[in-house]
Amino acid sequence: MFHAYAAHQAKDKLTPWDYPKPELKSTEVEVQISHCGICHSDIHLIDDDWKMSRFPLVPGHEVVGIVTETGSAVSLLKVGDRVGIGWQSGSCGTCEWCLAGQENMCSRAQPTCVGRHGGFADRIVTSERFAFKLPENLDSENAAPLLCAGVTVFSPYRLYQVKEGMKVGVLGIGGLGHLAVQFASKLGFETTAISGSPDKEAEAMALGAHHFLSNSDQSALRSKANSFDFILSTVSASLDWMPYMNMLRPNGKLCFVGATGGSITVPTGMLLGRQKSICGSNIGGVKIMNEMLEFAAKHQVVAKTEVLPMDQVNVALDKVRQNKARYRMVLKAGGK
Ligand code: NAP
Ligand code: ZN
């Protein structure tokens, strides 16, 4: 049996729950979990915000652990390898997107915790293609959040060709945002952390931000009209997006990675007159995941974490819900 923590209905507290070890397919590996980060998407799943959750639900998709068993056709990994697993656990492998290394765009993409069970557990099974060997110089607890938060914020900088010297705003300095600030500054962008939490200013600057802007102060936002080439929104709630559209320079982009569930309405004149655009980004495929891990290892981009034993999962989830995590809660498997 695998020993996990599960929600049995929407908005439930998690409770210990065992399920039978899934049969290992030929291309799958079994991983003994050591750490698992808590992404805000786990909260959306537990609350069934996206109306796609399946219960019992074992959340957790920022997994680090050791390969303990390999299927008969596994060739990329061996028992004993340290790997990380993110949001995605499978894809068709044959469509144009999979062949281009953008498996995250595959119409048959398989999420790690929808229709299968995730990383708030002692073990997990996944496809070998989505278990990534981790660079040796990254600690497991600080690297775990790279597997979802890290790739999600690194990928749009590449996808939308954000270039050195450009002015980039990172909106929301949580799990995703604090990594987005680090990647942005290491990529040579002039980086502004935009946050509603004044106590995050000093840490945002220490993480590499050049400027800090409070988004609870509307006049401060107005004063930054026409200032940014790229604003990456990581907030998990709906906001009035017009101030951020106004903050873009010509050709600027407002890019959503935060899953607000809301909508955005802007005057079309704003899109054509100043050639601004609104875009989004969804985790990242195998190619960008490997590029991100290599970049993170080289530049020591890692998460600032607070580690709790896995049996404290509900305490950790509450901290995320209350925006009290600094900056990623990580669960440590294997006891107290
Ligand atoms: P998080 O750690 O909770 O951080 C979110 C941050 O957004 C908070 O720290 C806060 O930053 C800001 N925020 C929260 N509520 C707000 C509100 N009502 N008004 C204004 N700002 C608010 O969450 P996360 O793990 O980084 O995830 C962020 C979002 O990204 C979630 O919706 C998650 O589902 C989504 N996500 C998307 C992808 C993808 O592939 N696109 C992947 C992973 C996660 P300040 O304190 O600085 O204001
Ligand atoms: Zn996530």
Side-chain angles (χ1 to χ4, degrees), residues 39 41 61-62 87 148-149 328:
C39 175
S41 298
H61 57 274
E62 291 184 341
W87 174 263
C148 179
R328 203 44 139 194

Side-chain angles (χ1 to χ4, degrees), residues 200-279:
K200 293 181 179 174
E201 177 166 1
E203 278 170 323
M205 303 301 276
L207 291 170
H210 303 97
H211 317 280
F212 185 88
L213 183 61
S214 165
N215 67 347
S216 34
D217 177 356
Q218 290 297 312
S219 65
L221 295 186
R222 277 194 297 276
S223 75
K224 292 291 171 195
N226 196 25
S227 296
F228 294 97
D229 298 298
F230 194 79
I231 297 178
L232 186 66
S233 173
T234 76
V235 302
S236 46
S238 276
L239 303 180
D240 173 8
W241 301 109
M242 279 312 283
Y244 302 99
M245 289 302 290
N246 283 321
M247 283 155 65
L248 293 176
R249 285 153 44 85
N251 300 319
K253 294 180 173 60
L254 173 58
C255 180
F256 289 94
V257 287
T260 70
S263 52
I264 174 165
T265 307
V266 297
T268 51
M270 186 171 240
L271 304 182
L272 66 93
R274 313 291 286 167
Q275 298 183 179
K276 299 182 181 183
S277 48
I278 301 163
C279 54

Side-chain angles (χ1 to χ4, degrees), residues 5 32-34 121-122 307-312 331-336:
Y5 289 85
Q32 172 92 43
I33 295 169
S34 65
D122 63 345
V307 183
L308 284 179
M310 203 167 279
D311 62 4
Q312 298 283 304
L331 301 171
K332 191 170 176 348
K336 299 151 204 196

Side-chain angles (χ1 to χ4, degrees), residues 62-134:
E62 291 184 341
V63 180
V64 173
I66 303 290
V67 175
T68 42
E69 200 179 330
T70 55
S72 58
V74 165
S75 60
L76 305 170
L77 297 172
K78 58 179 189 325
V79 169
D81 283 344
R82 187 179 64 138
V83 294
I85 301 162
W87 174 263
Q88 192 168 358
S89 270
S91 73
C92 80
T94 55
C95 71
E96 61 175 306
W97 306 108
C98 286
L99 295 177
Q102 290 186 52
E103 295 83 352
N104 53 326
M105 293 293 105
C106 173
S107 60
R108 287 166 59 197
Q110 169 63 59
T112 296
C113 347
V114 184
R116 53 198 299 144
H117 297 307
F120 295 0
D122 63 345
R123 281 178 290 166
I124 189 169
V125 164
T126 194
S127 154
E128 67 164 336
R129 287 188 297 129
F130 295 94
F132 298 88
K133 269 197 215 176
L134 293 178

